[in-house]
Amino acid sequence: MSLLDGSIRRRDFLKGGAAATAAVAAMGLIGCAPNGGSEAGAKETDADGMNPHVVESDTAILGDEGSWVTVECWANCGGRCVNKAFVKDGVVLRQKTNDDQEDTLETPQQRSCPRGHSLRQHVFNANRLKYPMKRKSWQPGGGENAHGDLRGEEGWERISWEEALGYVAEELKRVYADYGPRSVVCMGTEWQVLNLLGGRVEWNSTESYGNWYLAPIQMGTTVGNGFPDALLINDRLDMLNADTIVLYGINPAWHNGGNPSYYYRLAKENGTEFVFVGPDYNVSAAMLDARWIRVRPGTDTAFLLAVAYEMLRLDESGESVVDWDFLHTYCVGFDAESMPEDAALDENFREYVLGTYDGQPKTPEWAAEICGTPIEDITWYAQKVGKQDNVTLLHSYAPSRYKGTIDLPQLFMTVACMGGHLGRPGNACGSVFNTESANGGPRLVKLGNPSKSATAPNPLERPEICKPEIWRSLDEGVYYNRGGYRKGPIDNNFLPQEEIRFDPKIIVNDFHNPLQATEDINRGIKVFKKMDMVVDVHYRYTLTSQYADILLPCTTPWEGNLDKNKGELDVATTSTMRLSRFQCSRDMILVTQPIIAPMYEAKNETWIFSELAKLLDLDPSELYPISDIQSYYDKIAGAEVIDVDGVTYKTLVTITQDDIDAWDVEGEPQEGVISLQDLLEQGMYIVPREQGDNLGYIGYKDFIDDPEANPRGSASGKMEIYCQAKADSINGIGYAQEELKPYPTYHPSTYENSFSNWEAKESGTYPFLMYQPHYLRRAHTNYDENVWTQEAFQNPVFISAEDAAAKGIETGDTVLVFNDAGKVLRQASVTNLIMPGGIAMPHGPRTYLDPETGIDFGGNENMLVDANTQDEFFPHMNGYNSCLVDFEKYDGEALSADCMREPVLWTEE
């Protein structure tokens, strides 16, 4: 029987002269032939004329003529799953996931998602950048030489690497000399070479994290592994101890590929009840049979304030849902009895909720008008999260990517503290993001030193532009620097805003896709057309590439060489493959390998920036003091695994002198628990778990056991429901029109702003709130060109049945979604699983802009999101989801399926 039974029937997506190598690799060498046809190695057709596809490549795999290799799946999808490729003679024949071990609760197989399964189509796609390219009419020198008005509209000329890097170096020298470092704007990850020239302007925003990155440490939570409120939930085995798990704005089946959904399902099978809170009932909630608590998009603050009010009311009526001992022992600022020493206001959270200060008790009746949640659901939820049960409260960052949610993180923490749900088995509160989803705690196995990176810091003072206003700033030549956001007030990274005038001339980018992934695309295109030069380092032809002048093709993590008998050693360690991302989860590390030679004329990014440095008369060793292969080795050689005592770490990998010699690296032989060769063959190392072992983790347990010996990072050392540092940091920026309170309060939501007259309930010009869920078809803008996943996930706009009926729209109809920023076409998916008043347009698809009508046929939500979504208090925050639109049934030609659209490719002229 064939490994892949059935035929592939789709149009040939390989356009623009893609090489035959890419064609056969992308199709997996599965020997597709029309019905009734035959080819070498294929069985004759059966009675129905169907080809059963027992072909030569199947025989190669079954005969073990090649090898399965663990390969990188590098996009920021939140997974870090296991993907294996079967490689024979440098050709990828198949992909699979982890099936090499028994699948048990203690050591589950690490499954990958459809994006990972289709990665061949990404690596070998027709939109791969093959050669250095120059936009046809662009010339150096700036001004009219750039012919900026033709960006995105004309073809390309193939040039040599020498020419391409020469152009870039020449223009950088000219602009730095004539205009200074503020005239060069970096939107990529690398480009530290610019720091040796005097620095660069760069953007700064909370991106995915929304308002959750305001002041997590100051409030008593944390920044774990770079993520706010992370590494604080309990480990995967402890979830079985929860009576209730709340998924707040979470859809792990789409957002966190791999095993998280499996871990939640195990808890469900163990008797745990699930609750989902959000504006739509997603596939994860359905899988877990979760009770749906409906909350309109962006109105979660009103909902949770009413929950707090109900918890107080129920407790006073004798139901005993509030854990007063917890609030007075581990928290400050809940009531007058527990105020912190640094409090500047004689106010507390309890009295605010009861309406003492503003005359408005935060009752369910008050909240329901805003959040749309039935009053009985608010009361039920308040009872459910009380102290009497073991409750695990998990959140994504999506609910805080709205205007008006500045206090949501503090409020979410407050409700958890009211129930005492920290530091005990079955009780937790924290984020489920990226590799920490459903499995919190410190690493049981971890890699060595941080991945190789350039060592030259940006010397430019106050270089950051808040990303929500990036296009406006570049367009108008003025930006407001307010400091960085990641460390916040602890290191005084927030600064009083300062107006800085500049004259942007050059935009450089690598790996990212800023034009497609940043709000207000139409204004972004305008800005790109104004530049003297735009340079894009990438492996694929993105929207950003389309509007660039010089394209520098880089390799993917699949490309390189670890066998010096086959040529020069090469492994990617920069943008597309940071070695720190080898880490898969708390229990596991991945050790991936390159499996094919670099394609076409693509180069490793280290080589690109080193060669550019030479042309700029700089020393590349100032950027990259160690080689890529040395960095790769150091990461593996420094790996450690925890011992059975749950405390001591020991060396993971046994390395011999022969191993060191094979890679020509510096190192010493060492003894570990697994040989380097075995680790590379397995591609992973998993720490087995069992109930009752010493490897479990309960978030906040040390603090709860002994708060004086294990204080939190806040000023008081406790959970700060009243947090003076939070208020001072935001108020010190000088951006907001009003003072932010130290405790969580209500701020008007985008829903209320959708009315021209809230009191009279008169709808505004754009009465629908469009939010953008992540989608299983892609990871942000990555992988979206894969035809296989395009066929599986059609990327509609989701509309409530009530709103669709009012406009005469049915599922499958083409819908025009529009506002002042732009216009987008999508097919409608009409459903009863989304609340009226909101529509959901999945995040990340490529823009296919019709220049005549201004309509985007690709469905990119950032055609509609603009700078008006920037938070009123925290200017670093992208309020992507606070986008007001209208929609109507389209009276033009029906939109075809995305998988049938001709891809946008570079063309030589």
Side-chain angles (χ1 to χ4, degrees):
M1 182 177 179
S2 167
L3 294 178
L4 288 181
D5 196 15
S7 60
I8 294 181
R9 297 185 180 91
R10 62 175 59 82
R11 66 187 181 88
D12 182 7
F13 69 94
L14 294 171
K15 306 292 184 183
T21 302
V24 295
M27 298 305 289
L29 296 183
I30 58 175
C32 291
N35 291 346
S38 63
E39 54 184 290
K43 293 176 66 175
E44 295 298 321
T45 56
D46 59 21
D48 296 325
M50 298 298 293
N51 189 329
H53 285 297
V54 177
V55 293
E56 184 176 357
S57 59
D58 291 344
T59 305
I61 297 172
L62 294 172
D64 200 27
E65 297 175 24
S67 59
W68 287 104
V69 182
T70 300
V71 292
E72 183 75 1
C73 189
W74 59 89
N76 182 18
C77 67
R80 313 311 310 149
C81 311
V82 174
N83 274 285
K84 289 179 175 285
F86 189 84
V87 186
K88 178 185 177 185
D89 299 328
V91 178
V92 179
L93 303 181
R94 287 288 193 280
Q95 272 190 258
K96 71 172 183 177
T97 187
N98 176 215
D99 61 358
D100 300 330
Q101 72 206 48
E102 185 181 0
D103 193 18
T104 68
L105 171 66
E106 293 76 17
T107 311
Q109 293 177 356
Q110 305 292 314
R111 304 289 183 81
S112 62
C113 77
R115 293 172 293 220
H117 290 323
S118 63
L119 198 57
R120 282 178 297 160
Q121 267 212 5
H122 194 62
V123 175
F124 303 114
N125 203 281
N127 74 347
R128 278 297 302 266
L129 293 177
K130 299 179 180 180
Y131 322 108
M133 306 289 288
K134 181 184 79 70
R135 185 168 57 84
K136 184 178 180 182
S137 66
W138 179 87
Q139 295 297 325
E144 295 182 357
N145 292 336
H147 297 284
D149 58 313
L150 296 177
R151 284 193 180 98
E153 301 173 15
E154 64 175 340
W156 299 85
E157 296 175 355
R158 178 179 175 180
I159 58 178
S160 68
W161 272 106
E162 181 180 11
E163 290 175 298
L165 293 175
Y167 280 131
V168 176
E170 177 183 348
E171 282 296 274
L172 286 174
K173 288 179 179 179
R174 177 183 68 83
V175 169
Y176 271 93
D178 294 348
Y179 302 98
R182 291 196 198 278
S183 292
V184 179
V185 181
C186 179
M187 297 181 176
T189 304
E190 298 297 319
W191 286 98
Q192 278 82 358
V193 64
L194 302 179
N195 296 340
L196 301 181
L197 294 174
R200 77 280 180 93
V201 171
E202 52 199 28
W203 62 25
N204 187 272
S205 82
T206 62
E207 290 284 5
S208 298
Y209 315 115
N211 272 313
W212 237 283
Y213 229 123
L214 167 58
I217 295 173
Q218 290 67 39
M219 295 186 297
T221 61
T222 192
V223 175
N225 199 27
F227 309 134
D229 207 26
L231 295 183
L232 286 174
I233 65 170
N234 302 351
D235 71 89
R236 61 184 176 88
L237 295 185
D238 182 74
M239 284 201 302
L240 303 176
N241 296 320
D243 299 313
T244 302
I245 294 179
V246 174
L247 301 179
Y248 207 106
I250 299 173
N251 187 5
W254 281 7
H255 303 166
N256 296 110
N259 281 14
S261 292
Y262 171 64
Y263 298 150
Y264 293 128
R265 195 184 75 191
L266 290 176
K268 177 68 177 179
E269 293 172 355
N270 196 54
T272 299
E273 179 182 9
F274 279 81
V275 179
F276 172 75
V277 183
D280 54 31
Y281 194 71
N282 60 43
V283 294
S284 301
M287 173 189 70
L288 298 167
D289 191 26
R291 174 160 175 167
W292 182 19
I293 303 298
R294 294 161 284 176
V295 177
R296 287 192 180 108
T299 64
D300 300 271
T301 304
F303 167 71
L304 288 176
L305 284 171
V307 168
Y309 179 93
E310 278 296 88
M311 292 180 75
L312 290 170
R313 184 188 67 80
L314 291 167
D315 196 77
E316 290 176 1
S317 67
E319 289 200 30
S320 189
V321 297
V322 177
D323 192 332
W324 292 102
D325 288 340
F326 188 98
L327 290 172
H328 290 150
T329 303
Y330 303 106
C331 307
V332 295
F334 182 81
D335 55 17
E337 299 176 33
S338 58
M339 294 300 290
E341 294 180 358
D342 64 350
L345 292 178
D346 185 19
E347 298 179 6
N348 62 75
F349 177 73
R350 180 179 182 274
E351 294 304 318
Y352 170 76
V353 169
L354 296 177
T356 301
Y357 307 131
D358 60 4
Q360 175 59 70
K362 309 309 178 289
T363 63
E365 291 78 7
W366 164 82
E369 183 180 23
I370 300 168
C371 63
T373 311
I375 292 172
E376 60 271 22
D377 280 0
I378 296 175
T379 301
W380 180 88
Y381 187 88
Q383 292 171 320
K384 182 57 64 174
V385 299
K387 71 176 185 179
Q388 68 282 359
D389 291 328
N390 294 322
V391 182
T392 292
L393 294 130
L394 308 176
H395 68 82
S396 72
Y397 301 126
S400 76
R401 292 197 291 267
Y402 294 88
K403 297 169 72 171
T405 62
I406 187 71
D407 287 331
L408 177 60
Q410 191 178 17
L411 182 54
F412 189 87
M413 175 196 78
T414 297
V415 170
C417 290
M418 290 178 71
H421 299 304
L422 278 71
R424 298 184 288 119
N427 295 267
C429 175
S431 69
V432 289
F433 180 76
N434 209 280
T435 57
E436 281 72 44
S437 184
N439 194 17
R443 306 297 192 191
L444 301 179
V445 58
K446 53 188 178 181
L447 289 154
N449 295 327
S451 63
K452 169 189 173 181
S453 62
T455 57
N458 188 355
L460 192 63
E461 292 186 3
R462 304 190 73 144
E464 297 108 339
I465 303 175
C466 290
K467 188 178 177 183
E469 54 198 32
I470 184 72
W471 303 134
R472 182 179 66 209
S473 297
L474 267 64
D475 192 15
E476 298 176 355
V478 59
Y479 70 91
Y480 294 86
N481 182 274
R482 300 155 179 125
Y485 75 90
R486 282 190 178 270
K487 297 180 181 178
I490 263 193
D491 292 331
N492 295 316
N493 271 28
F494 293 153
L495 300 171
Q497 63 182 9
E498 175 184 338
E499 181 180 285
I500 298 176
R501 296 195 173 275
F502 71 135
D503 190 3
K505 297 293 183 182
I506 292 177
I507 291 175
V508 297
N509 174 65
D510 67 292
F511 182 53
H512 295 274
N513 186 6
L515 193 55
Q516 182 173 334
T518 305
E519 55 264 62
D520 209 353
I521 288 176
N522 279 318
R523 195 163 193 180
I525 290 173
K526 177 185 176 183
V527 165
F528 268 53
K529 287 176 176 284
K530 293 173 66 173
M531 295 297 108
D532 284 355
M533 180 177 70
V534 179
V535 184
D536 192 29
V537 180
H538 219 303
Y539 59 90
R540 62 191 181 101
Y541 190 67
T542 67
L543 187 70
T544 302
S545 307
Q546 182 181 339
Y547 285 87
D549 302 310
I550 302 293
L551 304 180
L552 304 178
C554 66
T555 53
T556 70
W558 281 25
E559 294 158 73
N561 176 38
L562 290 180
D563 185 353
K564 65 181 181 180
N565 295 319
K566 296 180 181 179
E568 183 178 357
L569 297 172
D570 185 22
V571 60
T573 62
T574 46
S575 294
T576 58
M577 182 181 175
R578 280 186 169 74
L579 293 182
S580 61
R581 288 190 176 273
F582 274 3
Q583 187 78 44
C584 180
S585 68
R586 179 174 190 250
D587 306 346
M588 174 184 168
I589 58 170
L590 288 171
V591 180
T592 62
Q593 300 179 56
I595 53 172
I596 58 174
M599 297 178 66
Y600 313 111
E601 293 184 10
K603 298 289 187 181
N604 184 313
E605 287 190 57
T606 301
W607 181 92
I608 294 173
F609 289 111
S610 295
E611 292 301 306
L612 180 58
K614 295 174 185 177
L615 292 175
L616 293 168
D617 303 318
L618 302 171
D619 182 0
S621 67
E622 292 188 52
L623 297 173
Y624 305 112
I626 62 174
S627 68
D628 288 332
I629 194 66
Q630 183 71 56
S631 179
Y632 182 86
Y633 169 84
D634 290 347
K635 198 75 176 177
I636 297 172
E640 296 180 318
V641 61
I642 202 162
D643 211 337
V644 293
D645 62 5
V647 176
T648 309
Y649 284 90
K650 56 187 178 181
T651 300
L652 176 65
V653 187
T654 296
I655 296 177
T656 67
Q657 188 62 48
D658 288 341
D659 294 329
I660 295 169
D661 294 341
W663 284 352
D664 290 331
V665 293
E666 296 182 3
E668 297 291 335
Q670 63 186 42
E671 289 293 324
V673 300
I674 183 174
S675 71
L676 177 61
Q677 188 60 38
D678 286 345
L679 181 63
L680 291 172
E681 289 181 1
Q682 294 176 17
M684 70 192 83
Y685 185 87
I686 303 175
V687 178
R689 293 291 315 283
E690 61 182 42
Q691 290 286 2
D693 61 18
N694 295 317
L695 308 182
Y697 178 73
I698 307 295
Y700 294 102
K701 185 177 187 301
D702 290 346
F703 170 64
I704 299 303
D705 288 347
D706 191 342
E708 292 187 6
N710 303 285
R712 303 303 302 166
S714 62
S716 66
K718 298 184 178 184
M719 310 303 290
E720 298 210 345
I721 296 170
Y722 178 112
C723 182
Q724 193 66 51
K726 176 207 83 168
D728 291 347
S729 63
I730 285 294
N731 295 333
I733 295 174
Y735 170 71
Q737 298 300 308
E738 63 178 286
E739 291 283 300
L740 184 65
K741 295 282 190 178
Y743 55 87
T745 63
Y746 182 72
H747 305 280
S749 68
T750 306
Y751 171 69
E752 289 152 286
N753 293 333
S754 70
F755 292 86
S756 60
N757 186 321
W758 168 250
E759 299 300 328
K761 298 300 182 289
E762 296 175 359
S763 294
T765 305
Y766 300 112
F768 295 94
L769 199 156
M770 183 192 78
Y771 58 100
Q772 303 97 44
H774 288 204
Y775 197 49
L776 194 52
R777 183 166 111 184
R778 56 187 165 266
H780 297 291
T781 70
N782 287 284
Y783 306 160
D784 193 52
E785 62 271 25
N786 294 359
V787 177
W788 295 345
T789 52
Q790 285 181 354
E791 291 175 346
F793 305 100
Q794 296 184 2
N795 202 90
V797 56
F798 297 96
I799 305 171
S800 77
E802 180 179 324
D803 292 335
K807 290 178 175 282
I809 292 172
E810 298 179 353
T811 293
D813 287 345
T814 300
V815 173
L816 180 70
V817 186
F818 58 93
N819 61 15
D820 291 339
K823 296 176 284 187
V824 171
L825 285 184
R826 281 291 85 195
Q827 290 181 334
S829 176
V830 178
T831 174
N832 284 312
L833 302 180
I834 185 172
M835 294 181 72
I839 66 172
M841 187 176 292
H843 160 58
R846 197 190 194 285
T847 290
Y848 289 78
L849 187 62
D850 181 351
E852 295 184 4
T853 63
I855 295 175
D856 173 22
F857 288 79
N860 190 325
E861 82 287 355
N862 281 319
M863 292 294 296
L864 304 170
V865 181
D866 60 20
N868 291 324
T869 61
Q870 186 175 22
D871 190 75
E872 303 101 319
F873 287 92
F874 192 15
H876 306 73
M877 199 281 280
N878 301 82
Y880 296 109
N881 289 331
S882 294
C883 182
L884 293 175
V885 301
D886 201 353
F887 65 92
E888 62 188 26
K889 187 173 181 179
Y890 185 57
D891 59 5
E893 183 178 351
L895 186 68
S896 61
D898 292 346
C899 60
M900 300 305 297
R901 182 187 300 112
E902 294 296 321
V904 175
L905 305 174
W906 55 267
T907 56
E908 296 181 57
E909 293 185 5

